Amino acid sequence: TGGTAPVLSIGGSDVFLGDGEKTGSLSFITSDASYTGAYPDGIAGEIASVSETATGAAYGLAFYTGTPTDSNRGERVRINRNGDVGIGVTLPTRLLDVQRNTVGDIAAFRGSDAARELVITSSTTTSTGDTYTLNANSSNGVVAFATGSSERMRIDSTGNLLVGTTT
């Protein structure tokens, strides 16, 4: 139907919501014994509104999935209050923030219309690793490549390939 009235409305009744708590959710439940053995509630997937502050003043949307074999049902995707999307990241800080798993490659897309970056971090632990950045800046027509925090190569607005220098 048209208008502004919701067709389906699901909510919680908790008056005091803290960071990470759900205000309401839409759960997909199975009674399959192989799944309920790992998760007695049978929730195979869930979409939830999640508080993103200690006081419940801002909310994101989280998507949860699980499998019966690894018993790690959890949040897989988050759209935060600013519209940033995290895949494998519960608190995205960029337009698209992607982490394959807790140990592995991490990719993040960030920037404005004028300057866009793709940042890829490859690591064997979550605290160390090499960072590779591709920065496309439409305001000056430069595409730059960096390792760590140092620019190594660029293509300038006239098509020149510059290695080890920016001019």
Side-chain angles (χ1 to χ4, degrees):
T1 66
T4 58
V7 175
L8 175 64
S9 180
I10 301 171
S13 60
D14 194 342
V15 178
F16 301 103
L17 290 171
D19 192 17
E21 293 184 12
K22 298 174 187 175
T23 62
S25 66
L26 177 60
S27 300
F28 302 90
I29 299 173
T30 180
S31 58
D32 181 284
S34 65
Y35 197 83
T36 57
Y39 304 103
D41 61 9
I43 298 175
E46 188 172 33
I47 302 170
S49 174
V50 180
S51 175
E52 292 188 337
T53 66
T55 60
Y59 300 92
L61 194 59
F63 297 78
Y64 299 81
T65 64
T67 66
T69 55
D70 58 16
S71 61
N72 71 340
R73 181 178 69 202
E75 184 176 328
R76 308 294 185 225
V77 176
R78 167 85 61 103
I79 303 170
N80 73 8
R81 63 184 176 254
N82 298 319
D84 299 329
V85 176
I87 301 174
V89 177
T90 58
L91 297 172
T93 58
R94 299 170 183 97
L95 180 60
L96 178 60
D97 215 342
V98 180
Q99 181 170 332
R100 185 182 64 181
N101 55 33
T102 56
V103 178
D105 297 333
I106 303 167
F109 298 87
R110 62 182 174 205
S112 63
D113 288 340
R116 295 182 185 93
E117 287 185 323
L118 165 62
V119 179
I120 300 172
T121 303
S122 180
S123 67
T124 54
T125 69
T126 57
S127 61
T128 63
D130 298 320
T131 301
Y132 310 95
T133 304
L134 168 62
N135 182 315
N137 190 328
S138 62
S139 65
N140 64 11
V142 170
V143 176
F145 302 85
T147 58
S149 60
S150 300
E151 184 177 308
R152 307 295 183 188
M153 180 175 67
R154 74 168 42 192
I155 301 171
D156 69 14
S157 61
T158 63
N160 293 323
L161 176 63
L162 308 166
V163 179
T165 182
T166 59
T167 57

